[in-house]
Amino acid sequence: SDHEPYDMFFQDYGVNPSIDTDDDNLSTFALDVDTGSYTVMRNYLNDGNLPPSDSVRVEEYVNYFNQNYSNPPRHQAFGISMDGAPSPFTQTERYQMLRVGIQGYAVPDEERKDASLTFVIDVSGSMDMDNRLGLVKRSLELLVEQLGRRDTVSIVVYGTEARVVLDPTPGSDKDAILSAIYSLHPEGSTNAEAGIRLGYKMALRAYNPDGINRVILCSDGVANVGNTEAEVILDEIRGHVEEGVTMTTIGFGMDNYNDTLMEQLADNGDGFYAYVDDMRESKRLFIDNLTSTLQTIAMDAKVQVDFNPEVVMRYRLVGFENRAVADDDFRDNSVDAGEIGAGHSVTALYEVKLYPEAYGKIATVFLRWEDPDTRAVTELSNDFYTEELAREFKDADLYFQRAVVVTEYAEILKDSYWAEDGSLNAVYREAQRIYEYMPRERDMEEFVDLVDRALRYSE
């Protein structure tokens, strides 16, 4: 490869411990639908390098993939599903992997609310590359094609200063929007704070009380002018969430790319973070999944798993390290948690050790969220029993098997303490086998290829 990417900013959140149910039988976390960590890894491997271990957030690898959960009944917004089986990757017999799946109602495209979108586009010098500003332009073009006359688009850019490039314009006026996009060119240094501030000002001008109000930041995450202290920018963003404007961050480019800032901006802005490494990823965000990219169906969504100490000796939540919520905050509605888009699913995997011969209820899963329109809080729960476990890994649902294999792959790349004896060879064999049995899917074909590359680069 030409070079290793330099000056990359990632944050290492460590790994979750294994917890004895006698000490604490509750596991609580905020839901997360980000996928940026997975596509960052893909970009590294495509350039001939292994991703840095700090860049791996295991839940984002798992949540990149379709889990094949069924769409919940419409009146309910969410469905909870659970399955489990022995893991092919742990040494002893008594460990099981459990998959907790939350599936959001997929709103049909024609029922999507009207959207008021404000793009805040980084046009600083660092964006002057085809895979940055060039890719932003091509991506936005895809999005504009999807918009209707009741949607509106505004565009703000920032280099050394921030300025408005397009006042709120109806989605049907595609020529005006596209020429504004084509006119973008790199200028100056990076004043992210000014850009974000002006973006929210525009979003409030174009505010649609009955629609979706979103600021979409397109950047390489570098902030080197103005207030680069993330905290100051994050505080500002948190204030706007109260006004009903959410933020999605879309990362572009490599070298001096700030993953941590992009992920935290989305987290605090009650939106989600994706990293676009190629046009296929743009298509996935802006065409295939446009409604889920735009429309939020739940605010502050969190899960609490209550393990039965009679059956479960210990458990470990895989991933979600920077999404932990205190157990007693689960029913505190003022605690910030995760936002979920229409049709998004969230999957959490637990490694559990059961008592020998134990029988009966393994756990109850509680899901709690606030409706973005009515602000009503709803709680659902679901029980899971030992008799629902598959006997053998190979007998379990194929999508469950894939989630376990993707998890092991991520844990190995993360240098996780829990995958010390893990081997990419074993991951590759399992991935190949599952690929043979699954309905053909581009994402799976690509995953097998990525594992193969990781194997080659780690020799």
Side-chain angles (χ1 to χ4, degrees):
S1 81
D2 303 341
H3 72 295
E4 284 270 352
Y6 58 89
D7 287 351
M8 305 291 285
F9 293 92
F10 298 108
Q11 174 83 41
D12 179 9
Y13 295 101
V15 290
N16 289 326
S18 185
I19 295 173
D20 285 344
T21 47
D22 286 348
D23 297 332
D24 178 10
N25 62 317
L26 297 175
S27 168
T28 314
F29 60 94
L31 296 188
D32 177 19
V33 293
D34 297 347
T35 54
S37 179
Y38 184 82
T39 43
V40 162
M41 169 273 298
R42 180 170 72 193
N43 203 12
Y44 266 93
L45 289 174
N46 285 336
D47 285 347
N49 301 299
L50 282 171
S53 55
D54 289 358
S55 74
V56 179
R57 288 182 296 274
V58 179
E59 72 279 6
E60 296 185 21
Y61 281 47
V62 175
N63 283 312
Y64 184 80
F65 293 92
N66 162 32
Q67 302 284 339
N68 209 30
Y69 302 132
S70 46
N71 202 18
R74 181 170 185 156
H75 59 276
Q76 176 177 301
F78 288 100
I80 301 177
S81 62
M82 297 189 69
D83 47 13
S87 164
F89 303 114
T90 38
Q91 272 53 52
T92 65
E93 289 308 284
R94 296 198 338 248
Y95 278 95
Q96 307 271 343
M97 290 298 280
L98 303 184
R99 176 175 67 152
V100 176
I102 309 291
Q103 176 64 53
Y105 176 69
V107 175
D109 291 344
E110 61 279 5
E111 289 176 29
R112 168 175 73 74
K113 291 187 202 165
D114 302 330
S116 164
L117 306 178
T118 304
F119 288 96
V120 174
I121 301 170
D122 179 348
V123 292
S124 60
S126 64
M127 290 290 288
D128 187 8
M129 296 179 202
D130 191 52
N131 70 343
R132 295 195 187 187
L133 194 53
L135 191 51
V136 171
K137 290 180 178 183
R138 294 193 295 276
S139 301
L140 296 190
E141 219 176 305
L142 291 182
L143 175 66
V144 171
E145 293 304 322
Q146 309 297 306
L147 296 175
R149 58 188 173 82
R150 292 195 308 276
D151 297 317
T152 60
V153 174
S154 331
I155 300 176
V156 165
V157 296
Y158 64 91
T160 311
E161 276 127 85
R163 58 189 179 86
V164 175
V165 172
L166 182 72
D167 285 308
T169 302
S172 48
D173 193 352
K174 297 198 190 325
D175 291 346
I177 301 173
L178 289 171
S179 47
I181 292 170
Y182 297 142
S183 74
L184 303 177
H185 55 269
E187 46 186 80
S189 46
T190 316
N191 193 339
E193 191 196 7
I196 288 169
R197 191 173 280 152
L198 182 59
Y200 276 105
K201 197 181 259 170
M202 285 297 282
L204 292 174
R205 251 185 60 195
Y207 189 78
N208 175 350
D210 304 316
I212 298 162
N213 295 277
R214 219 175 249 278
V215 170
I216 300 179
L217 176 70
C218 300
S219 168
D220 52 17
V222 181
N224 57 17
V225 172
N227 216 317
T228 52
E229 278 314 301
E231 270 316 302
V232 178
I233 303 182
L234 296 179
D235 280 343
E236 269 198 31
I237 285 178
R238 282 185 208 111
H240 288 293
V241 166
E242 293 309 303
E243 295 157 342
V245 179
T246 55
M247 168 172 273
T248 291
T249 57
I250 304 179
F252 293 85
M254 274 271 159
D255 292 335
N256 65 9
Y257 174 71
N258 193 332
D259 170 84
T260 307
L261 179 64
M262 295 296 274
E263 197 259 348
Q264 288 298 306
L265 289 171
D267 192 1
N268 286 277
D270 283 8
F272 75 100
Y273 158 52
Y275 172 82
V276 169
D277 53 346
D278 59 21
M279 277 308 282
R280 235 183 72 229
E281 196 55 31
S282 300
K283 180 177 171 300
R284 184 187 170 106
L285 273 176
F286 293 138
I287 296 183
D288 308 342
N289 302 336
L290 181 69
T291 298
S292 54
T293 296
L294 297 182
Q295 186 157 328
T296 301
I297 57 171
M299 308 291 279
D300 291 332
K302 40 193 187 259
V303 157
Q304 184 163 76
V305 181
D306 182 348
F307 287 101
N308 177 3
E310 308 289 295
V311 171
V312 180
M313 189 187 301
R314 65 171 65 106
Y315 63 88
R316 170 173 75 94
L317 171 61
V318 186
F320 293 94
E321 279 83 8
N322 68 341
R323 302 279 167 172
V325 171
D327 293 338
D328 356 352
D329 283 345
F330 180 64
R331 295 193 172 85
D332 178 342
N333 298 331
S334 65
V335 173
D336 184 53
E339 281 61 44
I340 303 182
H344 272 156
S345 76
V346 182
T347 298
L349 288 146
Y350 282 92
E351 184 180 73
V352 297
K353 188 175 189 182
L354 305 182
Y355 286 107
E357 308 305 309
Y359 191 76
K361 182 159 80 172
I362 293 176
T364 304
V365 176
F366 296 92
L367 166 69
R368 215 179 143 82
W369 76 93
E370 183 179 288
D371 180 292
D373 300 331
T374 66
R375 298 287 172 189
V377 173
T378 307
E379 190 175 301
L380 281 181
S381 69
N382 201 347
D383 295 332
F384 186 63
Y385 293 88
T386 49
E387 56 266 39
E388 298 176 72
L389 291 167
R391 279 256 154 106
E392 300 281 331
F393 182 64
K394 292 181 168 63
D395 301 336
D397 177 89
L398 279 167
Y399 292 86
F400 164 83
Q401 292 183 46
R402 169 166 69 190
V404 172
V405 171
V406 169
T407 296
E408 180 74 0
Y409 171 68
E411 288 211 277
I412 292 172
L413 292 181
K414 191 179 173 59
D415 289 336
S416 160
Y417 163 81
W418 301 105
E420 270 182 340
D421 304 323
S423 100
L424 284 173
N425 268 308
V427 168
Y428 184 70
R429 280 196 307 276
E430 292 289 341
Q432 267 290 16
R433 178 184 59 75
I434 293 166
Y435 172 65
E436 293 305 321
Y437 286 103
M438 259 183 135
R440 284 287 177 254
E441 190 195 88
R442 180 80 195 261
D443 288 340
M444 188 60 189
E445 194 179 330
E446 176 181 76
F447 176 67
V448 173
D449 176 55
L450 291 171
V451 177
D452 183 41
R453 284 177 188 230
L455 250 174
R456 292 204 307 272
Y457 303 151
S458 57
E459 276 162 7

